Amino acid sequence: DEYQWKGPFYFIQGADPQFGLMKAWTVGDTENGDDEWGEEIKLAEQAVKAVNKLNPKPKFFVLCGDLIHGMPGTQWRKNQEQDLKNVLKNTDQDIPLVFVSGNHDLGNTPTRETIDSYCKNWGDDYFSFWVGGVFFLVLNSQLYFDSSKCPELKQAQDAWLNEQLAVAEKHKCKHIIVFQHIPLFLREPDEEHDYFNFDKSVRQEIMAKFHKAGVKAVFSGHYHRNAGGSYKGLEMVVSSAIGCQLGEDTHGLRVVLVTDEKIIHRYYSLNELSSQGIEKELLDMLAKKN
């Protein structure tokens, strides 16, 4: 049923609730300073309440990684995970939650064990799903960042991705949209590699693959600021955090409207979305049935 295009719809993208980072950042100890996350609990609660109030309802709510701050094996991790789950349990049951793995969820250099642990807690680290004729792919971007301790898992994701893109072509889907934690790039496809983007050679290979397959947009987090750019018609969308801000942006969520022709998105502060909801212009586009 979901292979068929049924008209415009929208979803909500959030990133980096990252329970524990705000305190760690304030005290300047990102290794061990994450022993409080009351602020993040409040922000995540505000995000869930804002999403629940939206009418019509979004098709799903995707969280693009760094669910919590505590790296695998660290002291507060389990408590952070439990507190986030307690907040997310209050999401309207008609709005599915989609989880994307981030570097703090898996470790900067993931292993089979850290990935298994994530999957037990949050679901698969990569998978695909259909909504109304649109094909969505969720990727484990950490395998592209550093797969030195589990190269066979990166190979498995690569093989799977090629199969999925072939499926998308066969079904003549309306759009292909990708979710991952680390952006391919922040502003320019040929920018230098750093902590916040992919290595240039890896980036080129993936961008070429996505372009060939007709991927419309990649949505990510990780940067804790809004950014983005495009590569040959492929849009790279970098959303700021629900939690700790590292730039001038506000705690927020992105509303993503999928129409017949294109993908339109706006970043809203949590306060805006809570008090005003989605602006009329987007709602009007949503109401247009093809």
Side-chain angles (χ1 to χ4, degrees):
D1 189 39
E2 291 296 340
Y3 289 153
Q4 306 308 313
W5 174 252
K6 306 186 188 82
F9 64 88
Y10 81 104
F11 63 87
I12 301 293
Q13 183 221 4
D16 303 271
Q18 205 157 344
F19 282 23
L21 176 59
M22 288 171 86
K23 162 86 188 300
W25 194 257
T26 307
V27 299
D29 179 4
T30 53
E31 300 287 311
N32 308 298
D34 61 331
D35 58 345
E36 288 174 24
W37 49 92
E39 277 304 302
E40 285 97 337
I41 288 175
K42 281 187 203 141
L43 291 161
E45 284 173 344
Q46 189 183 357
V48 166
K49 281 181 186 144
V51 170
N52 285 349
K53 262 168 69 177
L54 294 172
N55 183 25
K57 291 184 199 302
K59 287 288 187 183
F60 59 88
F61 177 17
V62 58
L63 284 170
C64 281
D66 280 3
L67 306 172
I68 45 133
H69 182 70
M71 288 278 191
T74 57
Q75 186 176 2
W76 305 108
R77 183 178 170 92
K78 282 208 166 29
N79 302 51
Q80 289 167 1
E81 285 181 333
Q82 193 51 57
D83 284 353
L84 178 58
K85 285 179 181 180
N86 290 342
V87 173
L88 294 175
K89 271 182 199 152
N90 296 315
T91 309
D92 184 315
Q93 59 189 24
D94 293 329
I95 304 171
L97 285 163
V98 178
F99 298 112
V100 182
S101 60
N103 58 305
H104 281 262
D105 307 311
L106 303 172
N108 285 325
T109 306
T111 64
R112 187 176 280 279
E113 289 69 37
T114 64
I115 292 174
D116 283 349
S117 168
Y118 169 86
C119 292
K120 281 198 188 82
N121 258 308
W122 301 101
D124 292 341
D125 58 324
Y126 59 89
F127 55 95
S128 64
F129 60 98
W130 288 82
V131 176
V134 178
F135 192 45
F136 292 93
L137 290 161
V138 171
L139 295 179
N140 176 346
S141 57
Q142 220 48 41
L143 293 174
Y144 295 117
F145 195 80
D146 183 358
S147 62
S148 56
K149 290 190 176 162
C150 54
E152 74 289 355
L153 297 184
K154 178 189 179 290
Q155 286 162 2
Q157 177 171 256
D158 283 341
W160 172 86
L161 179 57
N162 291 338
E163 283 166 17
Q164 295 298 306
L165 293 173
V167 165
E169 188 179 18
K170 187 178 131 211
H171 282 286
K172 300 283 180 276
C173 60
K174 185 63 76 175
H175 305 294
I176 306 171
I177 296 174
V178 173
F179 299 119
Q180 57 190 52
H181 178 61
I182 301 179
L184 297 168
F185 56 89
L186 297 172
R187 290 193 170 82
E188 300 293 336
D190 58 353
E191 69 196 17
E192 289 308 307
H193 166 55
D194 66 21
Y195 175 77
F196 288 112
N197 61 19
F198 277 5
D199 178 80
K200 269 181 153 178
S201 61
V202 175
R203 183 193 315 165
Q204 280 301 337
E205 189 185 327
I206 295 172
M207 288 190 311
K209 182 182 284 192
F210 284 176
H211 172 65
K212 184 166 178 264
V215 174
K216 269 279 172 51
V218 177
F219 288 87
S220 70
H222 188 52
Y223 192 45
H224 296 255
R225 286 153 281 205
N226 286 309
S230 67
Y231 166 83
K232 296 182 180 176
L234 163 70
E235 191 180 5
M236 180 69 242
V237 184
V238 185
S239 291
S240 197
I242 293 170
C244 190
Q245 300 299 311
L246 300 184
E248 302 303 306
D249 295 296
T250 48
H251 309 282
L253 293 168
R254 194 173 291 276
V255 173
V256 186
L257 176 64
V258 183
T259 74
D260 188 26
E261 294 292 312
K262 54 191 178 188
I263 291 147
I264 301 149
H265 51 87
R266 304 236 167 108
Y267 185 83
Y268 289 78
S269 75
L270 293 180
N271 290 341
E272 268 180 307
L273 202 58
S274 302
S275 59
Q276 294 152 26
I278 302 171
E279 63 215 89
K280 185 177 182 308
E281 184 194 347
L282 290 185
L283 288 172
D284 288 348
M285 292 172 83
L286 201 56
K288 282 184 186 146
K289 289 292 172 221
N290 301 358

